[in-house]
Amino acid sequence: QLQLVESGGGLVQPGGSLRLSCAVSGFTLGNFAIGWFRQAPGKEREGVSCISGFGGVTDYADSVKGRFTISRDNAKNTVYLQINSLKPEDTAVYYCARARSYYSCSRQEDMAYWGKGTLVTVSS
């Protein structure tokens, strides 16, 4: 059964860090692009970061460049999102999703399967 399960969210103070994990099953991780998206309260879901299949080419939204790092461990069937220098505006439910292909995962319409999300709250 194909699944994506996010974990690692929580409450963190501004300036803090978190590492989100996306554990996948039911498909070969390295063959597909994986994206992280987030939805803040009252806002539409937006793309955060993407890592392609095979070569692992990464891409980031401008708002998170330099603070977020996406990575993939094919042996562990897990994709990570390291989040540093957290800001209150990073508060959101973070979702990982699998793309329909190995190369395109920046847009929601590129994605075929979604996890249920993990909540990140940045507050003092």
Side-chain angles (χ1 to χ4, degrees), residues 41-85:
K43 295 187 176 181
E44 294 186 353
R45 190 160 56 187
E46 62 177 356
V48 172
S49 184
C50 172
I51 185 166
S52 71
F54 299 107
V57 177
T58 59
D59 191 26
Y60 299 91
D62 288 342
S63 59
V64 307
K65 280 181 180 177
R67 299 189 300 121
F68 289 19
T69 303
I70 190 171
S71 62
R72 186 179 69 211
D73 186 333
N74 291 343
K76 294 184 178 181
N77 289 321
T78 303
V79 177
Y80 302 99
L81 186 68
Q82 178 68 40
I83 309 175
N84 298 326
S85 303

Side-chain angles (χ1 to χ4, degrees), residues 104-123:
S104 182
C105 57
S106 297
R107 304 177 305 165
Q108 296 188 59
E109 52 264 42
D110 295 331
M111 316 312 286
Y113 300 94
W114 293 81
K116 294 183 178 180
T118 185
L119 176 63
V120 172
T121 303
V122 184
S123 175

